[in-house]
Amino acid sequence: MLVQKYRDMLSQKSVIRQLSEFAAARGREIGYENVFDYSLGNPSVPVPREFTEAMIHMLTTRESNELHGYSPNPGITSVREAVAASLEGRFSLPYRKEHIFMASGAAGALAHAFRLVTEPGDEVLTFAPFFPEYHPYVDLTGAVLRVVPPDTESFQINFEKLEEMLTEKVTAVLVNTPNNPSGVVYSAETLNRLADTLRRKSGEYGHDIYLISDEPYREIVFDGAETPCVSCFYDNTIMCYSFSKSLSLPGERIGYVAVNPRCRHAEEMVSMCVQISRGIGHNCPPSIIQLAVARVLDRTADLSVYETNMKLLYEELVGLGFTCVRPGGTFYIFPRALEEDAKLFCEKALKYDLILVPGDSFGAPGFFRMAYCIDTEKVKRSLGALERFVRETYGR
Amino acid sequence: MLVQKYRDMLSQKSVIRQLSEFAAARGREIGYENVFDYSLGNPSVPVPREFTEAMIHMLTTRESNELHGYSPNPGITSVREAVAASLEGRFSLPYRKEHIFMASGAAGALAHAFRLVTEPGDEVLTFAPFFPEYHPYVDLTGAVLRVVPPDTESFQINFEKLEEMLTEKVTAVLVNTPNNPSGVVYSAETLNRLADTLRRKSGEYGHDIYLISDEPYREIVFDGAETPCVSCFYDNTIMCYSFSKSLSLPGERIGYVAVNPRCRHAEEMVSMCVQISRGIGHNCPPSIIQLAVARVLDRTADLSVYETNMKLLYEELVGLGFTCVRPGGTFYIFPRALEEDAKLFCEKALKYDLILVPGDSFGAPGFFRMAYCIDTEKVKRSLGALERFVRETYGR
């Protein structure tokens, strides 16, 4: 009488996890410093000192019941106010605490967003390449995730395919920019065209189509650029944010839903999030972590290492003849493999202790992902292995 | 296109919350110290010093990425090992880390437990009086919560009604001992008879019936007693625990699922919890909080104030002529109101700044709940108000 759908999932092992386990096992043989493990998107830069100081300060000065007491259902009021003020200052949209729902990381935020606007059977569209966890996130709500094939030239949006797939059944479109796994940042032009398309189709079908914007990599952008603000382009946007990457604390499960103040029923949607929580056992992110991030909202960890690593890898890959879109952010790069079957390509790379992830599970077969959230010193050492792999395997 | 079932919930305001808001508003008028607010079950005793010290120690000595990094999906391995060892030592069941799934409080634990063993349309039985949040917890999974009427003499289980209601559709039975709101601890006799019933019916129907045991009040027991271990009576038990009450940190959202090692497929069930998490955005409780509670597993806050308060209230209530089962634990007491309509009774008490919660939403009309997790000094001051209320309103 155990529920079969979850039992069935046990046999489907994630490729990323298998590779990461391989890397760990190989590390036990030859020393982990000799394994060029590009498998996992796990932040590697230290947490900002101010976060740790805020935690210690609260633990040493505040009354414990106040500090560790129940958070109100949508989050601690002062924290929501601080988040709203920070977003308003940054994106010039009139955010108020009534638009903010504190959530346990981006996964928690997305779990609420999908339930706000999809009934079982409704369709959610996302764009390849995409984070593979979107499948269980959406499919287990009863809605259906459909993946728009990639524009492999730019990894911006393939609008031709979007037009075809954006049927009346679609109630939400999910974007992730800067993007995991491509590292691409959607341009203002892309976001404008996406917004136009969604407005036109909403009108045509006579129902709102929501844009769910998953933004954990928002602060990791390169070349001094900024990520264009998705919510600024389209009123019916539900922003899902996580501090995991910007503050380097993925284990503390802290993020938020920010409903665009211009979205119809925006405040009601936050109240609905509270109801959704009751059904999924959410019940707020940890109080002390809410209070601590509120003190460092406009700070980030020192994220510069990711740009340094990107440049080293991008130049090397292009030099070796790879076709590759230059990442505008994140800590991922997504080149085309040197043979059609990226799984084979990645398997052959293992011989050189290079752990690369085939693009198949990201919805882009023929490509592979490297997560370069590792020490720059290791990236440098990996370049020789990469060269040998390419020369010895593909004669380049 | 917002999802109607959640919109509909917005109009159903919780009685407890309304009363608590009334108490806060009244407090702004006359000073909160003068409001005898027995509405909310919010722990009031300080967090153990050892917890705070463990937090500060880790923040000052550990490398930040290690401390705040991703937790493995079922929880941090060392934490699961520590929890298993603690449970094994205490209950003499062969718990191993493979039976432990770290969860965000009892709400998070229950969200996994229900999904493990219920399909939409299946029935879950619980026993009145019961925590009203069980309704959204269960009903929003698609399963149906049905409430077995109370045995109002003892608030143990009404077995006659259980027999009637335990049909083939039931896949899980949910118990909460020590009980919110009655304060009653199920006796070994009750648990034995419950286990016998479940085994007999499982055999009769040819499918397992799981016992889901919600145990956040397990450590708050009076008169030097211990809560009989539910899992020890019945193999197919899924224990859902929270540290909210025992360590007085409800805001930090930390608890666990412990599947009885003797339960069929126990280890597989923990792996299934990981899959369930993906669909509900759970993704582990906060890393630092997991690590900190692991260091104080066998400690509690100083919970003695709850027993002191219980004795004061119980004696006063009985002295005033109330019919009342003496609580064996928790920080609740659940007397019979002095008129049939407990809502009217509680409304009249407001005139004396006594905030009492009618039993209707707990499935026991005619009774009322007092949550005495407040200062003993305030409990003492409330006794005069209680006396005046009873004398002036009911002529006793």
Side-chain angles (χ1 to χ4, degrees):
Chain A
M1 290 299 288
L2 297 181
V3 171
Q4 200 55 41
K5 71 174 170 186
Y6 297 115
R7 292 186 97 168
D8 291 344
M9 289 170 76
L10 297 180
S11 51
Q12 305 152 16
K13 231 180 167 186
S14 138
V15 181
I16 300 176
R17 186 152 292 250
Q18 283 175 320
L19 283 166
S20 148
E21 283 168 10
F22 175 89
R26 181 72 178 138
R28 284 189 290 275
E29 281 173 38
I30 61 165
Y32 187 69
E33 69 281 7
N34 298 314
V35 183
F36 305 118
D37 183 3
Y38 287 108
S39 66
L40 273 190
N42 205 349
S44 59
V45 300
V47 172
R49 195 170 40 81
E50 292 84 349
F51 175 86
T52 305
E53 285 170 358
M55 292 280 287
I56 294 172
H57 180 76
M58 289 190 290
L59 285 161
T60 46
T61 59
R62 290 184 63 171
E63 199 264 310
S64 70
N65 285 117
E66 184 202 344
L67 185 56
H68 302 296
Y70 277 116
S71 161
N73 292 329
I76 295 172
T77 305
S78 63
V79 175
R80 294 165 69 208
E81 283 167 351
V83 168
S86 164
L87 290 175
E88 185 185 26
R90 198 157 154 196
F91 300 128
S92 303
L93 286 169
Y95 286 101
R96 297 291 171 269
K97 71 169 190 298
E98 287 75 13
H99 308 118
I100 308 299
F101 174 82
M102 299 305 296
S104 297
L110 289 166
H112 288 81
F114 295 132
R115 285 165 175 81
L116 273 175
V117 299
T118 66
E119 302 268 8
D122 287 348
E123 289 186 3
V124 176
L125 294 188
T126 199
F127 304 96
F130 71 104
F131 178 46
E133 282 296 294
Y134 289 163
H135 260 303
Y137 286 5
V138 173
D139 296 344
L140 289 172
T141 67
V144 181
L145 183 72
R146 296 192 68 210
V147 180
V148 178
D151 170 348
T152 54
E153 292 305 303
S154 65
F155 293 129
Q156 300 281 326
I157 287 174
N158 182 336
F159 281 100
E160 205 172 303
K161 292 285 178 193
L162 172 62
E163 286 282 342
E164 276 174 46
M165 295 178 68
L166 192 50
T167 67
E168 201 162 357
K169 282 178 147 180
V170 175
T171 59
V173 170
L174 169 62
V175 292
N176 171 220
T177 168
N179 180 264
N180 173 10
S182 74
V184 159
V185 180
Y186 284 177
S187 65
E189 191 193 337
T190 294
L191 292 172
N192 250 325
R193 192 166 163 194
L194 175 62
D196 283 344
T197 307
L198 296 183
R199 276 187 292 263
R200 177 165 45 79
K201 291 285 187 179
S202 295
E204 203 172 297
Y205 300 142
H207 68 72
D208 289 329
I209 301 171
Y210 291 87
L211 184 58
I212 298 175
S213 178
D214 180 23
E215 308 187 1
Y217 301 100
R218 191 174 67 205
E219 322 317 344
I220 313 181
V221 278
F222 305 146
D223 308 309
E226 286 217 348
T227 307
C229 152
V230 177
S231 300
C232 300
F233 289 83
Y234 187 66
D235 289 351
N236 287 332
T237 300
I238 305 169
M239 177 200 293
C240 295
Y241 187 73
S242 162
F243 294 94
S244 294
K245 274 74 182 187
S246 61
L247 294 177
S248 235
L249 28 81
E252 306 308 355
R253 315 307 311 139
I254 179 81
Y256 55 78
V257 173
V259 180
N260 191 329
R262 293 183 182 144
C263 183
R264 207 156 10 144
H265 311 298
E267 298 185 17
E268 189 177 346
M269 288 165 75
V270 170
S271 303
M272 287 171 68
C273 282
V274 171
Q275 305 308 320
I276 292 167
S277 286
R278 298 165 79 188
I280 60 177
H282 179 269
N283 255 346
C284 314
S287 295
I288 190 172
I289 307 288
Q290 287 190 55
L291 293 166
V293 295
R295 296 184 178 209
V296 292
L297 282 180
D298 297 318
R299 295 196 171 270
T300 65
D302 177 2
L303 306 168
S304 61
V305 61
Y306 302 136
E307 182 160 2
T308 306
N309 292 354
M310 182 278 287
K311 286 180 176 163
L312 283 167
L313 280 174
Y314 179 74
E315 277 166 34
E316 177 74 14
L317 287 162
V318 170
L320 288 170
F322 283 89
T323 306
C324 182
V325 178
R326 187 176 188 273
T330 75
F331 37 60
Y332 306 108
I333 191 165
F334 200 62
R336 191 183 281 277
L338 294 180
E339 60 184 296
E340 208 178 313
D341 187 340
K343 287 182 190 167
L344 274 181
F345 174 83
C346 295
E347 209 178 293
K348 291 175 187 170
L350 291 178
K351 209 177 116 188
Y352 298 83
D353 294 312
L354 284 162
I355 318 294
L356 316 174
V357 182
D360 302 65
S361 58
F362 302 103
F367 292 80
F368 66 97
R369 188 186 81 168
M370 299 175 82
Y372 47 84
C373 41
I374 63 175
D375 284 350
T376 300
E377 181 274 326
K378 201 182 216 182
V379 172
K380 285 182 181 161
R381 278 195 289 123
S382 78
L383 301 181
L386 199 60
E387 255 178 73
R388 279 200 313 284
F389 163 49
V390 169
R391 194 179 58 236
E392 293 173 13
T393 318
Y394 300 96
R396 298 204 182 184
Chain B
M1 290 301 287
L2 297 180
V3 172
Q4 199 56 40
K5 72 175 169 185
Y6 297 116
R7 294 186 96 169
D8 291 344
M9 290 171 75
L10 297 180
S11 52
Q12 305 153 15
K13 234 182 162 183
S14 138
V15 181
I16 301 176
R17 187 152 290 247
Q18 282 175 324
L19 284 165
S20 149
E21 283 168 11
F22 175 90
R26 181 71 178 141
R28 284 189 290 274
E29 280 172 39
I30 61 166
Y32 187 69
E33 69 281 8
N34 298 312
V35 182
F36 306 117
D37 183 1
Y38 286 110
S39 65
L40 273 190
N42 204 349
S44 58
V45 300
V47 171
R49 198 169 38 82
E50 291 84 349
F51 175 85
T52 305
E53 284 169 359
M55 291 280 287
I56 294 172
H57 181 74
M58 290 190 290
L59 285 162
T60 47
T61 59
R62 291 185 61 171
E63 201 264 310
S64 70
N65 284 118
E66 183 202 345
L67 185 56
H68 303 296
Y70 278 115
S71 160
N73 293 328
I76 295 172
T77 306
S78 63
V79 175
R80 294 165 69 207
E81 283 166 351
V83 168
S86 165
L87 289 176
E88 185 184 27
R90 198 157 155 195
F91 300 127
S92 303
L93 286 169
Y95 286 101
R96 296 291 171 269
K97 72 169 191 298
E98 288 75 13
H99 307 118
I100 308 298
F101 174 81
M102 298 305 296
S104 297
L110 289 166
H112 289 81
F114 295 132
R115 286 166 175 80
L116 273 175
V117 297
T118 67
E119 302 268 9
D122 286 348
E123 289 185 6
V124 177
L125 294 188
T126 197
F127 304 97
F130 72 104
F131 178 45
E133 282 296 294
Y134 289 163
H135 260 303
Y137 286 4
V138 174
D139 296 343
L140 289 173
T141 66
V144 181
L145 183 72
R146 295 192 70 209
V147 180
V148 178
D151 170 348
T152 54
E153 292 305 304
S154 66
F155 292 129
Q156 300 282 326
I157 286 174
N158 183 335
F159 281 99
E160 204 172 304
K161 291 285 176 190
L162 172 61
E163 286 283 342
E164 276 174 44
M165 295 177 68
L166 193 49
T167 66
E168 200 161 357
K169 283 177 145 179
V170 175
T171 58
V173 170
L174 169 62
V175 291
N176 170 220
T177 170
N179 181 264
N180 172 12
S182 74
V184 159
V185 180
Y186 284 176
S187 65
E189 191 194 338
T190 294
L191 293 172
N192 250 325
R193 192 165 163 195
L194 175 62
D196 283 344
T197 308
L198 296 183
R199 276 188 291 263
R200 177 164 45 79
K201 291 285 187 179
S202 295
E204 203 172 298
Y205 301 142
H207 68 74
D208 289 330
I209 301 171
Y210 292 87
L211 184 58
I212 299 175
S213 179
D214 179 24
E215 310 188 359
Y217 301 100
R218 190 172 68 203
E219 322 320 342
I220 313 182
V221 278
F222 305 146
D223 310 309
E226 286 215 350
T227 306
C229 152
V230 177
S231 300
C232 300
F233 289 83
Y234 188 66
D235 289 351
N236 287 333
T237 300
I238 306 169
M239 178 200 292
C240 295
Y241 186 73
S242 162
F243 293 94
S244 294
K245 273 74 181 185
S246 61
L247 294 176
S248 234
L249 30 80
E252 306 308 355
R253 316 307 311 138
I254 179 81
Y256 55 78
V257 173
V259 180
N260 191 329
R262 294 182 181 146
C263 183
R264 201 146 24 132
H265 310 299
E267 297 184 19
E268 189 178 347
M269 287 165 76
V270 170
S271 303
M272 286 171 68
C273 282
V274 171
Q275 305 307 320
I276 292 169
S277 286
R278 300 167 77 187
I280 61 175
H282 180 268
N283 254 344
C284 313
S287 295
I288 189 172
I289 308 288
Q290 287 190 55
L291 293 166
V293 296
R295 296 183 177 209
V296 292
L297 281 179
D298 296 317
R299 295 195 169 270
T300 66
D302 176 4
L303 306 168
S304 62
V305 61
Y306 302 137
E307 182 160 3
T308 306
N309 291 353
M310 181 278 286
K311 286 180 175 162
L312 282 167
L313 280 174
Y314 179 74
E315 277 166 33
E316 178 74 14
L317 287 162
V318 170
L320 287 170
F322 282 87
T323 306
C324 182
V325 178
R326 188 175 187 277
T330 75
F331 37 60
Y332 305 109
I333 191 166
F334 201 61
R336 191 182 280 278
L338 294 180
E339 58 184 295
E340 208 177 312
D341 186 340
K343 286 182 191 167
L344 272 181
F345 173 84
C346 294
E347 209 176 294
K348 290 174 187 169
L350 291 179
K351 209 177 118 189
Y352 297 84
D353 295 313
L354 285 162
I355 319 293
L356 316 174
V357 182
D360 302 66
S361 58
F362 301 102
F367 291 80
F368 66 98
R369 187 186 82 168
M370 298 174 83
Y372 46 83
C373 40
I374 62 175
D375 284 350
T376 301
E377 182 272 328
K378 203 184 214 181
V379 173
K380 285 182 181 162
R381 278 194 291 123
S382 79
L383 301 182
L386 199 60
E387 255 178 74
R388 279 200 312 284
F389 163 49
V390 169
R391 194 178 61 235
E392 292 174 12
T393 317
Y394 299 96
R396 300 204 180 179

